[in-house]
Amino acid sequence: MVNNAVLQFTDRMFLAHDSVEALEAILPASALAWIFMSFFQSVVGYSNVFVARYYGAGEAGKCRTCYHAAMCIAVCAGLLMLPLWPFGDWLLSRFSPSESLGALQREYYDIVILGGFAIYGQMAAASYFTGRGQTRIVFWVNLLGNLLNIALDPLLIFGRWGFPCLGIAGAAYATVFSMVVQTVVLVWAAQRATAGRKTGDGRREAAGRETEDARRAMGGLIARILRFGVPSGAYTVLNMLSFTIFVFFTGRIGSIELAVSNACFTVNYLLIAPMEGFALGAATLVGQALGRKDVPEAFRVGNRTMVLGVAFVAVLSAVVIVLYRLILSVFASRVGADAVSQFYSLGFTLFILMAAWQVFDAADIVILGALKGAGDTKFVMWMMLVVSFVIWLPLVWLVSVFHNTM
């Protein structure tokens, strides 16, 4: 998730220097694309918990089987994404505030959704490494992809050094290319690891050809990953869907309001996305502890990870409030001179409100990650459904009706 957040932040930062319309368009378009992609991303990513369980129990062979099962799900997920392409175009056309804005949104969405297949293979390979505690290789590959995106965005958005000037489409192409590179490198590393060759940290696994028992077990393992992963994917979709609906509500208020909310929520996503990393760490550590049948240790690591996550977000939120003008200036280059003061004023108010909820959001995300590591994904799904669609969105609707500034 941190990887996704940095990719999107980079796109939005450069598009803010292209036009206000591009900045307004990218948040709804990217949010919708990631809603569709995030379901299967979370399903495939749940293989991390199974890898952690087997690794904690000392069953390395089953870790390899988990990786191959996740890759099978990833391939099917890529094919199932294709029908969502025209459906997303229809949604953006139907709910966009204007036709010109809708055209920009569809332009970005179409490219990202068709290139999103890469993220599933990337998640399967990354889960194999993170479940075994080998997070460095995932970090370096993600860093490589993000550096590529930073390099390609100005070339493809503004048409520098002989590259075509593609605007918002250039941001989408840069993101997709970066994701494909990350996928190729991670899958290559995972194939080497499962074949018994040297991995990035120099370890070797005694692998070779999988036994017939392991191959027969893979079908059952796919079913188990789906059994626990589908509620986990539903949780992610419900979370992102409720936020996307909120974004469409803000788009009806006004152009400056939408631009400043897009900028602030981009920063918010960048700050809160590391909590998905903390949640993944909690799920992995809890899964490994339960694999060793050490329940007290699972409880301890879950709580300690939550405390670290909350402290991390609290410090960063304070920094954002102090440096709000500097941060917002990154997105204000195309805002008219008569609207700059309003842009900064609204942005500061949003940052204050974000700091208040981010502490609770951080605790929520990490605790839910620990619960996923324990296999309790159905509670996580139902909790998100009730909180988002029974409490939060009805309140958003009421505010939009009775207080037009949201």
Side-chain angles (χ1 to χ4, degrees):
M1 283 296 186
V2 179
N3 177 56
N4 298 344
V6 176
L7 289 172
Q8 293 180 58
F9 177 84
T10 304
D11 287 350
R12 294 169 193 175
M13 181 182 68
F14 282 108
L15 285 174
H17 294 271
D18 183 42
S19 68
V20 173
E21 291 75 18
L23 181 60
E24 293 173 9
I26 190 172
L27 183 57
S30 62
L32 184 61
W34 287 106
I35 282 176
F36 291 153
M37 293 190 293
S38 65
F39 175 76
F40 289 114
Q41 183 184 13
S42 295
V43 172
V44 174
Y46 199 79
S47 61
N48 167 81
V49 174
F50 284 91
V51 172
R53 288 283 186 97
Y54 290 132
Y55 185 77
E59 299 182 82
K62 290 185 177 180
C63 293
R64 293 190 292 272
T65 307
C66 282
Y67 164 67
H68 292 127
M71 284 300 294
C72 290
I73 299 173
V75 171
C76 295
L79 296 175
L80 291 172
M81 282 295 297
L82 293 177
L84 295 175
W85 171 27
F87 179 60
D89 277 345
W90 176 82
L91 286 175
L92 291 171
S93 299
R94 174 68 179 79
F95 295 103
S96 179
S98 67
E99 179 54 38
S100 60
L101 200 60
L104 289 173
Q105 291 171 350
R106 292 191 299 273
E107 190 175 8
Y108 184 88
Y109 166 84
D110 289 346
I111 297 166
V112 171
I113 202 72
L114 290 177
F117 69 90
I119 202 166
Y120 303 130
Q122 175 188 344
M123 184 56 68
S127 296
Y128 175 72
F129 289 113
T130 56
R132 294 159 64 246
Q134 296 180 330
T135 55
R136 290 185 180 181
I137 185 171
V138 179
F139 168 79
W140 288 114
V141 172
N142 286 344
L143 180 63
L144 170 65
N146 280 283
L147 290 176
L148 274 175
N149 193 45
I150 292 171
L152 289 174
D153 262 345
L155 300 180
L156 296 177
I157 292 173
F158 307 115
R160 295 174 180 171
W161 293 1
F163 283 84
C165 181
L166 301 176
I168 196 170
Y173 283 123
T175 295
V176 169
F177 181 78
S178 300
M179 289 193 300
V180 169
V181 170
Q182 290 173 331
T183 300
V184 169
V185 175
L186 274 175
V187 170
W188 171 78
Q191 289 296 121
R192 282 173 58 92
T194 55
R197 297 190 181 97
K198 213 168 189 180
T199 61
D201 63 356
R203 297 181 179 179
R204 287 179 178 269
E205 290 186 58
R209 184 174 298 177
E210 284 189 311
T211 63
E212 287 300 316
D213 288 341
R215 292 184 186 277
R216 284 195 295 269
M218 189 164 67
L221 188 54
I222 289 174
R224 292 177 64 198
I225 292 174
L226 291 175
R227 176 188 169 191
F228 291 96
V230 167
S232 177
Y235 157 81
T236 305
V237 169
L238 290 170
N239 188 13
M240 297 190 69
L241 178 61
S242 61
F243 175 74
T244 303
I245 293 172
F246 172 76
V247 169
F248 279 113
F249 269 110
T250 62
R252 297 181 178 182
I253 302 173
S255 177
I256 291 298
E257 288 82 358
L258 179 58
V260 73
S261 65
N262 283 2
C264 290
F265 283 125
T266 298
V267 176
N268 172 73
Y269 186 32
L270 191 65
L271 294 184
I272 208 66
M275 291 307 99
E276 295 293 345
F278 280 85
L280 180 62
T284 301
L285 293 173
V286 168
Q288 289 181 353
L290 292 178
R292 295 189 299 270
K293 302 187 185 303
D294 189 349
V295 176
E297 177 65 13
F299 183 78
R300 281 194 297 271
V301 296
N303 284 335
R304 289 173 182 174
T305 307
M306 180 198 68
V307 172
L308 286 173
V310 170
F312 180 87
V313 164
V315 171
L316 288 185
S317 296
V319 171
V320 167
I321 291 173
V322 172
L323 302 178
Y324 81 97
R325 289 190 69 89
L326 177 63
I327 294 169
L328 288 174
S329 66
V330 174
F331 303 93
S333 62
R334 293 292 180 178
V335 177
D338 57 332
V340 169
S341 61
Q342 182 187 7
F343 187 89
Y344 284 122
S345 176
L346 285 173
F348 179 72
T349 302
L350 282 177
F351 280 152
I352 293 290
L353 294 173
M354 286 177 184
W357 82 57
Q358 278 175 337
V359 172
F360 298 100
D361 205 12
D364 168 66
I365 291 171
V366 178
I367 291 172
L368 293 180
L371 287 174
K372 289 179 184 179
D376 196 358
T377 56
K378 288 185 178 179
F379 168 79
V380 169
M381 176 187 69
W382 288 113
M383 186 279 299
M384 180 54 64
L385 179 64
V386 172
V387 170
S388 296
F389 290 88
V390 178
I391 300 174
W392 184 48
L393 285 179
L395 287 174
V396 170
W397 178 79
L398 287 173
V399 171
S400 71
V401 170
F402 295 105
H403 197 285
N404 194 43
T405 63
M406 292 291 283

